[in-house]
Amino acid sequence: MALGLEASLGDTAITTKLDAVVNWGRQYSLWPFVYGTACCAIEFMSTAASQYDISRWGAEVVRFSPRQADLLLVCGTISYKQAPVLKRIYEQMPDPKWVVAMGACASSGGIYDNYCTVQGIDTIIPVDIYISGCPPRPEAVLDALIKIQDQIKGESVLKDRHKDFKGILD
Amino acid sequence: MNATALENLQAAFPDATCKVVLDSVVIEVHPENLEETLSRLKNEQDFNCGLLVDVTAIDYLDYPQQQETRFHVVYTIRNWEANLLIQVRTWVVDPEKGIPTATHLWESANWGEREVYDQYGIHFQGHPDLRRILNHWQFEGHPLRKDYPIKKRQVCFDTDSMEDEIRARLLKNGVDEATMKDINTEVMFLNIGPSHPATHGAIRILAALDGETILANVNEVGYLHRGFEKTAEQRTYNQIVPLTDRLNYCSSMMNNIAYVKAVESWLGIEITERAKFMRVVLSEFYRVLDHMVCLAAALVDMGGLTNYWYLYNEKEAAYDFISRLTGARLTSSFTRVGGMYRDFYEGWQDDLETHIRGLEKGMGDALKLVDSNRIVHDRTQGVCVMSAESALSYGMTGPTLRASGVPYDLRKDAPYYNYDSFDFNVPVGSNGDIYDRFMIRFYEMFESIKIIRQALKHIPEGPINVANSQLSLPPKEQVYGNIEGLANHFKLIFEGIKVPRGEWYDSYEAANGELGFHFVSDGSGTPYKLKVRPPCFYTMGAFAEMVEENMIADAVINLSCINIIGGELDR
Ligand code: SF4
C-alpha cells in the first residue's frame, strides 16, 4: 500500500528521485559510438552480431556521429597520429558520456610499447571502464556494458564527472 | 630460381655483383647505375619486371659486419610470369642527398619510397611528393634508424590539413579552378575519416568534388602505425608470431604461416608433411573467413544488411572451431618456426566439415542475393575501373590485381606446400571494376573450399614439428624429467632460435595478395631488421587512381571491396 503523496494520487502516479528516473532511462538506452581502429573492432562486430547481440542490453543503436552518441567504445590501438582525432570525437559527444577502453591497447598500449603508440587512452580522455584482453571476448564487452549501467545507477545528474581531467593534449 | 637467370643477369649487368639468395637474384649496383639498372629490368623483354613489390632500406649502424656506408636501399621487383624475383641493392653515401627515385618506372615506388624516407630519412631525388607517410607530420627523426630509441615517443597535437596535397593533385588532374569560377561553380572539398564508418578502421580520404564527382583524391594512412618493425627487432623469432597476428587480423593465421615460412626458408628446413597440410587447410579456411568479412562489410556499405548476417553468422560459428584449436578466437598465434604449436584435436575433421558446409551455405545465400541483383550490378559494373597495366604498376597483388585480369597468384606461380598438386582455379576478372573485385572474392572462396576438401582427403599422420632440438621445444616430459631437456627449453625460450647471418625475402599468397617478409639477420636470436611487404599498402596507394572521375558513393564501396585492413596497411 502506498503512503504519503502516492496514497493521495492513487495508481496513476509514482514518486521517485530525479536521479533515479533519469539514470534508469540512461542505463538502458546507451547509444554507442564505436571508435574501432584495429583488431578489437572485429570482436566488437561479433558483439553486435546475432550470437552475442548487444541489443539485449539496449545498446544496439550504434551511432556513427559522435553528436548522437553517449557511450564511446574505443576498440583498438591509438597511435599518436590518431590521438587528436580521438580527442576531437570525444569532445563532440554531448554530456553525459561514458568511455570504455576495449582491450590492452586502448587501456595501456598493450604489446606496443614503442615510439608511436599511446600508452593508454586515459592519457588523452577520461575512461570509465577498462576491458582486459587482446582482444577481449564479446562476453567481456557485454560485461563492461553492464558495469557502465551499474555505474550510471549511482550517478547524479547534477555532477560533472570529469571537470578536472587533463590529458597530454590539453 | 634457376642458374640461367643468374647468368643472364650477370651478362646483362657486368659491372654489378649478382648472386642467388633463396628464390631471388640479388644485384648490387653503384648508386649511379641504379636508375639505368631498374629501367632496364623493367623495360627489357628478357626481364620484364612489371611489378615493384617493395622498397626498403637497411641501417647497418649496429651490424656486426662493418659496411662501407651506413644505409642501403633495396628494391624488390618481380616478373610474375617467369617467376623471376630480383632484389636490386644500392648503397647510400649521404642520406640527405639520397639516391634517384624510381617513381617514373613504377607508381608503387611513390608510397614505397615515402615510407623509406619516413622511417630511415633517405631522400629520393626527383620524387614528386616526398613526405612522411606512416608517422605524423610533427614527428622528428626517423624511427627505424638504429640510433632512434624505441621508446622515444612524440606527441601529435594536430591533424595535417593536406590542403597543399589536394591542390597539387587537382592541378595534376588538369582542373582549372579559375575556369570553374567563371561558369559559376566551385570545387567542394570533402573529408572522410579517419574516424568514419566508411573507412572501416582509420584511413583518411580527402576528395575534391564537382557535384558528386571526384575530381581529385588524396589519402592519408598511418593512423594505425604501431611500430611492428621496430618492435620485432627486440623479439626472438618465435615471439614475433603473436605480432604477426595483428597485421591482417581478419586472417591472423595466414600471417603466422607466411612469417614462419619465411624464417624456415632461410634456415633451409623442410617442415613435416602433416604440418604442410595443416598449413594449407588453415590458410584456405582463413582465406574464406577473410573474404567473408570483406564482403559482409562491403555489402553493408552498399545497403545490403541481410548479406551481413548471412556471412557474418557463419564466420562467428567458425570461431568455435578456431578457439577450440588455437585457444583464441581472433589472434591465433598458431605456428612456430619448424612446425605448428599443436596438432589438430580429435574429431577436427567432422567439425571442419560442418563449418565448411555452413560457410558454403552463407556464401551461397549471399551470392544469390547479389548475383542477379540489378541494383548491385548498376552500382558496381564499370565503376572505379583499373586497367591491368596500371594495377601492376601500382604494385597491386591478390584479388584486386586478379580482378583487373592479371592471373598472378603465388600459389600457382611460385608454389609452396604442394599447392601445385591441388586442383583449383584462379578466378580472374575481365574489367577491373568493383563488380569484378567483388565476385573474385566469392569465387575464390569456393576454390579455397575445394582445396580444403582435397587436403582433408590426403592429410597424412605424423609429427607436426621438425625433430631438431635447435628449433623445436622438447616435449614437456623431457623438460621436467631431465636436465638436457630443461636446458634445451631454457635456451630456446631465452635466446631464441639462432638464425644464420644474412638477408632474404620470402613471400606468400595471403588473402589480400603478396605478403612478404624481408629479413636481415645478424646471426643472433632476434632479427636485425624485419620489413613486412603488406599487400594492402600498395593497393591503397592506387585508391586515388581508382576513384577519380567516379562518384563519392562509389569511392566508399570501392574502399570496402579492396579490403584495406589497418593493421597490415600501417603495421
Ligand atoms: S588489444 Fe590486442 S586485439 Fe585489441 S587492438 Fe590491441 S593488439 Fe589488437
Side-chain angles (χ1 to χ4, degrees):
Chain A
M1 201 187 83
L3 294 168
L5 188 60
E6 278 177 27
S8 56
L9 290 172
D11 286 344
T12 52
I14 53 165
T15 56
T16 178
K17 281 193 285 189
L18 181 63
D19 274 349
V21 70
V22 170
N23 288 344
W24 176 71
R26 283 176 179 172
Q27 255 180 74
Y28 299 113
S29 57
L30 286 165
W31 285 13
F33 178 94
V34 183
Y35 197 96
T37 63
C39 355
C40 278
I42 306 287
E43 279 302 66
F44 181 81
M45 280 167 80
S46 291
T47 316
S50 331
Q51 190 171 344
Y52 292 96
D53 196 4
I54 200 166
S55 61
R56 291 180 292 164
W57 285 268
E60 78 279 20
V61 191
V62 175
R63 296 285 89 187
F64 288 113
S65 164
R67 295 174 206 282
Q68 299 171 350
D70 56 1
L71 177 64
L72 179 63
L73 284 164
V74 183
C75 312
T77 322
I78 300 295
S79 63
Y80 285 105
K81 190 169 184 171
Q82 180 115 239
V85 183
L86 175 65
K87 182 163 182 280
R88 176 86 77 90
I89 295 276
Y90 176 77
E91 283 166 352
Q92 285 177 347
M93 289 171 59
D95 271 320
K97 52 192 168 191
W98 295 270
V99 179
V100 175
M102 176 180 178
C105 283
S107 303
S108 69
I111 52 175
Y112 300 103
D113 184 4
N114 57 28
Y115 60 92
C116 46
T117 310
V118 173
Q119 302 297 295
I121 56 164
D122 53 7
T123 56
I124 299 160
I125 54 173
V127 175
D128 293 285
I129 299 281
Y130 302 83
I131 314 177
S132 64
C134 182
R137 289 183 61 93
E139 292 93 332
V141 182
L142 296 174
D143 185 45
L145 190 65
I146 295 168
K147 288 216 162 70
I148 287 275
Q149 292 179 332
D150 281 346
Q151 181 187 320
I152 292 174
K153 237 186 262 171
E155 281 169 6
S156 158
V157 289
L158 299 174
K159 250 214 218 104
D160 183 358
R161 291 176 303 132
H162 298 298
K163 205 165 67 245
D164 303 323
F165 180 84
K166 215 167 170 51
I168 51 172
L169 296 182
D170 291 301
Chain B
M1 175 58 54
N2 50 34
T4 47
L6 177 68
E7 276 168 28
N8 289 347
L9 281 161
Q10 190 68 72
F13 303 98
D15 297 341
T17 40
C18 302
K19 62 174 188 237
V20 171
V21 179
L22 299 180
D23 292 334
S24 59
V25 180
V26 179
I27 312 180
E28 177 118 19
V29 297
H30 193 284
E32 278 172 13
N33 300 336
L34 177 71
E35 209 167 355
E36 189 212 328
T37 312
L38 287 175
S39 80
R40 280 182 60 197
L41 285 172
K42 182 181 175 224
N43 297 324
E44 279 182 18
Q45 267 314 308
D46 288 353
F47 309 116
N48 196 15
C49 292
L51 193 65
L52 170 65
V53 179
D54 203 12
V55 190
T56 190
I58 302 147
D59 176 3
Y60 285 107
L61 186 67
D62 300 336
Y63 202 65
Q65 202 175 3
Q66 271 290 316
Q67 306 280 328
E68 272 175 35
T69 56
R70 181 174 164 187
F71 295 103
H72 280 219
V73 172
V74 186
Y75 288 84
T76 308
I77 55 181
R78 194 188 269 287
N79 172 350
W80 66 272
E81 277 162 304
N83 188 18
L84 177 65
L85 181 67
I86 304 175
Q87 291 201 302
V88 182
R89 301 173 53 101
T90 191
W91 54 91
V92 183
V93 184
D94 176 9
E96 285 297 314
K97 207 165 136 264
I99 56 167
T101 175
T103 41
H104 55 288
L105 295 170
W106 296 277
E107 295 284 356
S108 53
N110 189 329
W111 278 30
E113 290 176 354
R114 272 178 68 189
E115 184 179 328
V116 173
Y117 163 72
D118 184 7
Q119 300 281 43
Y120 290 93
I122 295 168
H123 281 256
F124 291 89
Q125 300 148 9
H127 190 290
D129 183 26
L130 198 64
R131 60 195 162 93
R132 289 193 183 276
I133 186 161
L134 295 180
N135 294 293
H136 56 80
W137 64 289
Q138 291 173 319
F139 199 91
E140 278 168 20
H142 303 282
L144 284 191
R145 286 190 175 187
K146 286 285 173 183
D147 49 8
Y148 189 96
I150 184 169
K151 291 195 188 167
K152 188 173 167 206
R153 304 184 225 276
Q154 300 191 30
V155 180
C156 172
F157 290 94
D158 224 338
T159 309
D160 192 356
S161 80
M162 300 210 297
E163 192 181 327
D164 295 346
E165 286 78 38
I166 189 84
R167 291 216 188 274
R169 183 88 193 177
L170 270 173
L171 217 61
K172 183 169 169 264
N173 291 352
V175 178
D176 182 0
E177 285 187 64
T179 333
M180 293 189 71
K181 272 239 166 63
D182 283 350
I183 54 170
N184 246 345
T185 175
E186 59 184 61
V187 179
M188 184 181 131
F189 294 97
L190 180 71
N191 181 71
I192 303 181
S195 175
H196 185 279
T199 62
H200 297 238
I203 300 160
R204 186 164 160 220
I205 301 169
L206 181 59
L209 304 175
D210 172 20
E212 281 188 64
T213 309
I214 301 173
L215 298 171
N217 160 253
V218 287
N219 306 293
E220 195 180 18
V221 300
Y223 287 101
L224 192 58
H225 179 51
R226 317 192 256 195
F228 173 94
E229 284 148 21
K230 189 93 176 169
T231 310
E233 289 170 11
Q234 311 212 332
R235 299 272 199 279
T236 65
Y237 284 87
N238 271 331
Q239 281 176 337
I240 294 169
V241 172
L243 289 179
T244 63
D245 280 340
R246 290 147 180 87
L247 291 171
N248 180 348
Y249 31 75
C250 292
S251 51
S252 53
M253 184 89 73
M254 297 185 102
N255 313 318
N256 298 162
I257 295 173
Y259 166 76
V260 290
K261 174 177 169 288
V263 181
E264 285 156 1
S265 69
W266 180 247
L267 288 168
I269 38 178
E270 182 81 12
I271 57 165
T272 65
E273 243 355 72
R274 186 168 174 84
K276 281 187 193 165
F277 271 85
M278 281 182 82
R279 289 186 185 177
V280 169
V281 169
L282 291 169
S283 290
E284 298 308 320
F285 190 61
Y286 270 83
R287 193 185 310 279
V288 175
L289 297 182
D290 192 278
H291 287 356
M292 279 200 139
V293 178
C294 167
L295 289 169
L299 286 162
V300 171
D301 286 348
M302 224 185 280
L305 198 61
T306 316
N307 299 277
Y308 179 82
W309 307 117
Y310 283 169
L311 293 167
Y312 202 86
N313 284 352
E314 294 307 333
K315 178 187 156 72
E316 180 65 48
Y319 276 143
D320 288 346
F321 171 68
I322 294 166
S323 39
R324 196 157 168 207
L325 182 65
T326 70
R329 284 161 54 88
L330 199 66
T331 41
S332 49
S333 303
F334 198 58
T335 60
R336 296 292 181 272
V337 177
M340 305 299 280
Y341 171 54
R342 289 267 192 282
D343 203 338
F344 284 124
Y345 58 88
E346 206 151 306
W348 65 279
Q349 279 113 325
D350 296 340
D351 281 6
L352 190 60
E353 185 55 41
T354 319
H355 288 300
I356 292 178
R357 275 203 223 112
L359 292 170
E360 277 176 327
K361 179 160 187 309
M363 282 146 51
D365 288 348
L367 189 58
K368 264 188 245 152
L369 285 179
V370 296
D371 205 14
S372 49
N373 183 328
R374 179 76 197 281
I375 301 171
V376 174
H377 290 188
D378 286 354
R379 278 212 65 187
T380 57
Q381 287 175 347
V383 177
C384 295
V385 179
M386 191 78 173
S387 70
E389 200 187 332
S390 44
L392 271 173
S393 174
Y394 274 99
M396 285 163 66
T397 50
T400 43
L401 176 67
R402 294 193 282 271
S404 293
V406 183
Y408 167 52
D409 186 328
L410 283 166
R411 294 175 297 171
K412 287 276 190 205
D413 296 312
Y416 46 90
Y417 299 155
N418 309 325
Y419 265 113
D420 40 357
S421 60
F422 290 103
D423 173 27
F424 69 102
N425 298 319
V426 176
V428 283
S430 39
N431 300 319
D433 53 11
I434 296 185
Y435 179 77
D436 284 350
R437 284 180 209 125
F438 231 75
M439 286 301 164
I440 288 271
R441 284 188 200 262
F442 269 115
Y443 291 113
E444 276 191 12
M445 296 199 289
F446 290 112
E447 294 301 320
S448 290
I449 289 184
K450 222 157 95 186
I451 299 175
I452 299 177
R453 289 237 160 86
Q454 292 168 46
L456 279 176
K457 271 199 208 110
H458 297 116
I459 182 166
E461 290 298 324
I464 49 156
N465 278 306
V466 289
N468 181 341
S469 60
Q470 303 295 311
L471 294 172
S472 310
L473 290 175
K476 281 285 177 286
E477 306 85 69
Q478 286 186 28
V479 180
Y480 295 127
N482 65 53
I483 188 71
E484 289 81 28
L486 184 65
N488 187 200
H489 183 96
F490 186 84
K491 270 186 95 70
L492 275 179
I493 294 289
F494 275 77
E495 292 169 14
I497 294 163
K498 294 280 190 313
V499 173
R501 192 176 289 181
E503 304 189 16
W504 71 99
Y505 174 85
D506 188 71
S507 55
Y508 164 94
E509 185 71 32
N512 270 337
E514 175 168 353
L515 174 63
F517 291 90
H518 182 119
F519 285 89
V520 179
S521 167
D522 55 4
S524 70
T526 54
Y528 182 78
K529 170 202 166 73
L530 169 54
K531 164 77 170 64
V532 186
R533 188 273 171 199
C536 277
F537 182 74
Y538 291 102
T539 310
M540 192 63 210
F543 186 73
E545 181 77 25
M546 286 187 246
V547 301
E548 276 167 358
E549 292 171 27
N550 289 279
M551 308 252 255
I552 190 75
D554 300 335
V556 170
I557 51 172
N558 188 45
L559 184 66
S560 42
C561 80
I562 58 177
N563 199 23
I564 299 298
I565 304 287
E568 182 182 273
L569 174 74
D570 301 332
R571 287 149 286 145

